[in-house]
Amino acid sequence: FEQMKKIFLGLSILLIIGLFGAGWFFSGVTYEAGLNPEFDDQEDVGVAEDRVIIESISNKTISLNVEEEKWGVLLEDGIYGVLGENGSAVVSTIISLEGDIITREVLQFSGQLEVGERVASSPLLKIDNGKYSILGTSDYEGIDQNGKYTPKSVSNTDFEYIEYESDLGMFPAYLTTNGDTGVVIFVHGFRGAFERDFTAMLRAPDFENLGFRSLIISYRNDANSPKDPSGLYQYGVTEWIDLDNAIKYVEDNINPEKIILWGTSGGGGPITSWLEKNPESNRVDGIILEAGLISFWESVEVNGKARYPFIPELFFPYIKLFTEIRYGIDFDTMDFRDALVESEVPVLFFHGDDDEWVPVEMTDYIAANRRTNFTYIRMANVGHVTSWNADPERYLFEIGKFIESLN
């Protein structure tokens, strides 16, 4: 009996040590990958390049050996760029998928692609008079003479550089110059920057055609911007203050007929947090979300399950609690789903059902529970922030229809 007690005690101690070690490790991963603004080692947090090799090429098709495709777009429906060392292609319809070999229709070749060459993928495209251009290629670098991305260099949209004041200091932004109906305030996603908000810069001319200027903002924890006093990304808990002051800048300096908020991915947090703090506000006329992150922990879980599939489902609440205690945060305060459900501000929400960063189930919940003024465009076999790629014509049609509905 004494021997059994010792064995039981030993096993209990090992279990406690194991649980503590596991909690320490996974809370550390959560902190570094998701909460630490200074973390810059992206290799192991879901943005490593996929391994894609050209299997064969014809005049109208390309076959790719997708050896590993964890976070890319080449298995998803839509129009995407394929980038090689000396050439590129724009691909569209999936013709076949057999094992790791996917064959897609080619809309346009540029330069020279070689069989056996390793290639990358990109969703960053624009269309001019039927011609496709892939951002970052030799014929469409997208940068100005100072090496910066701007609305002018990316989409030939005139702009001015402005600053708005928030409680932590001054924040830079791009403001496009043409449009007499309203202003769209673009809030970029996780670890983004206003100078790299390609979604905003690519959509700016579309909004200009609808009579809207674009204000592409920075906010706390961006590079070269004031840092949050907590030293952490807050996913809307404090970032909403900067958005509120950006809205105030527009009200005081432009006073447009309409203000629309646009949130891309992690930009959904500041916007929906702002809604939570201003539930009766009539200061904005509409909200557009592209794969908007409304509850940070939901994203932690979906990413954790993708990278560590061996973790039991029941273990995630333990990781959540351990992280909260270790770093002094409360993930529940980063959940703004109910604020969006209860708001009456009209919302247009694009989301792909193959999103590996922001779970589509989060948006499904909002759509199922919100009664009015909610337009949900759920795209099949489409990933993160690639709804435009899936169907450019429909995407712009839905935006135009939504804006018209605000009248």
Side-chain angles (χ1 to χ4, degrees):
F1 181 75
E2 289 297 323
Q3 186 68 17
M4 290 295 294
K5 283 176 60 178
K6 290 180 180 179
I7 293 173
F8 179 77
L9 179 61
L11 291 174
S12 298
I13 292 172
L14 287 174
L15 178 62
I16 292 170
I17 293 173
L19 284 172
F20 182 85
W24 188 269
F25 173 79
F26 288 113
S27 66
V29 170
T30 302
Y31 166 74
E32 293 291 356
L35 296 168
N36 179 11
E38 305 302 324
F39 182 69
D40 60 2
D41 182 9
Q42 300 293 304
E43 186 67 22
D44 295 319
V45 294
V47 293
E49 289 186 6
D50 304 321
R51 291 198 301 272
V52 181
I53 309 295
I54 297 177
E55 187 78 7
S56 65
I57 304 173
S58 73
N59 290 336
K60 297 290 186 180
T61 66
I62 187 169
S63 294
L64 303 166
N65 185 347
V66 186
E67 297 178 355
E68 182 178 354
E69 202 270 358
K70 295 176 70 175
W71 312 100
V73 294
L74 291 177
L75 296 182
E76 296 165 358
D77 289 330
I79 301 170
Y80 304 101
V82 175
L83 304 170
E85 185 174 351
N86 298 307
S88 63
V90 176
V91 300
S92 60
T93 306
I94 297 173
I95 297 172
S96 65
L97 176 61
E98 299 178 7
D100 293 335
I101 308 298
I102 187 167
T103 300
R104 303 189 70 132
E105 179 186 358
V106 175
L107 299 177
Q108 179 179 296
F109 282 110
S110 179
Q112 189 69 34
L113 292 172
E114 302 287 347
V115 172
E117 179 181 6
R118 179 171 173 170
V119 292
S121 60
S122 174
L124 301 177
L125 308 176
K126 70 174 182 177
I127 308 172
D128 288 321
N129 299 318
K131 181 181 184 299
Y132 297 87
S133 299
I134 308 170
L135 185 63
T137 54
S138 58
D139 59 346
Y140 179 36
E141 293 182 351
I143 55 176
D144 66 10
Q145 65 273 18
N146 298 314
K148 294 184 178 296
Y149 294 102
T150 71
K152 185 68 172 178
S153 64
V154 170
S155 62
N156 197 31
T157 307
D158 292 333
F159 76 100
E160 58 182 307
Y161 176 93
I162 65 101
E163 289 185 325
Y164 73 93
E165 186 174 6
S166 189
D167 63 320
L168 297 180
M170 302 302 293
F171 289 84
Y174 291 139
L175 176 62
T176 61
T177 55
N178 297 318
D180 54 10
T181 300
V183 174
V184 181
I185 302 176
F186 283 92
V187 186
H188 66 70
F190 175 58
R191 295 194 191 279
F194 81 104
E195 294 170 313
R196 298 197 311 275
D197 192 344
F198 302 120
T199 296
M201 295 184 208
L202 288 167
R203 297 285 71 79
D206 301 320
F207 279 105
E208 189 175 274
N209 291 336
L210 294 167
F212 280 75
R213 301 171 73 178
S214 296
L215 179 64
I216 305 170
I217 67 169
S218 61
Y219 55 95
R220 63 190 63 199
N221 288 326
D222 283 6
N224 303 316
S225 291
K227 305 304 178 187
D228 190 84
S230 69
L232 302 171
Y233 286 117
Q234 292 287 339
Y235 292 93
V237 175
T238 57
E239 292 88 347
W240 74 270
I241 300 170
D242 304 330
L243 174 59
D244 188 70
N245 282 286
I247 296 171
K248 187 175 186 300
Y249 175 92
V250 171
E251 292 169 333
D252 292 346
N253 293 275
I254 305 174
N255 191 26
E257 180 183 334
K258 297 197 180 298
I259 297 176
I260 295 173
L261 305 181
W262 176 300
T264 302
S265 187
I271 290 175
T272 49
S273 179
W274 183 87
L275 274 181
E276 184 180 72
K277 307 302 187 298
N278 300 271
E280 305 299 326
S281 178
N282 61 357
R283 293 171 65 197
V284 302
D285 299 278
I287 293 170
I288 302 175
L289 296 170
E290 168 66 81
L293 177 59
I294 314 300
S295 174
F296 175 54
W297 183 254
E298 300 294 317
S299 181
V300 172
E301 284 203 11
V302 75
N303 279 272
K305 291 171 184 175
R307 283 194 289 274
Y308 304 103
F310 55 85
I311 298 178
E313 183 83 23
L314 294 175
F315 197 65
F316 281 96
Y318 170 70
I319 298 173
K320 179 182 179 183
L321 179 62
F322 199 108
T323 306
E324 290 178 326
I325 294 172
R326 182 179 176 186
Y327 295 105
I329 58 173
D330 182 354
F331 286 114
D332 290 341
T333 65
M334 301 175 182
D335 183 349
F336 307 106
R337 287 174 294 181
D338 289 341
L340 193 56
V341 167
E342 295 164 8
S343 173
E344 294 186 1
V345 176
V347 174
L348 171 62
F349 207 127
F350 294 98
H351 210 157
D353 69 358
D354 194 35
D355 193 328
E356 296 162 314
W357 284 98
V358 178
V360 72
E361 291 79 11
M362 181 178 60
T363 313
D364 292 343
Y365 168 86
I366 297 165
N369 288 278
R370 178 153 168 167
R371 296 184 184 90
T372 59
N373 292 330
F374 190 82
T375 303
Y376 184 20
I377 310 300
R378 195 181 197 272
M379 311 291 274
N381 193 36
V382 174
H384 188 56
V385 192
T386 53
S387 294
W388 177 89
N389 301 81
D391 192 337
E393 289 187 9
R394 183 189 179 191
Y395 192 84
L396 298 181
F397 171 79
E398 295 291 350
I399 290 173
K401 185 172 71 170
F402 176 72
I403 289 178
E404 180 66 25
S405 74
L406 302 181
N407 296 325

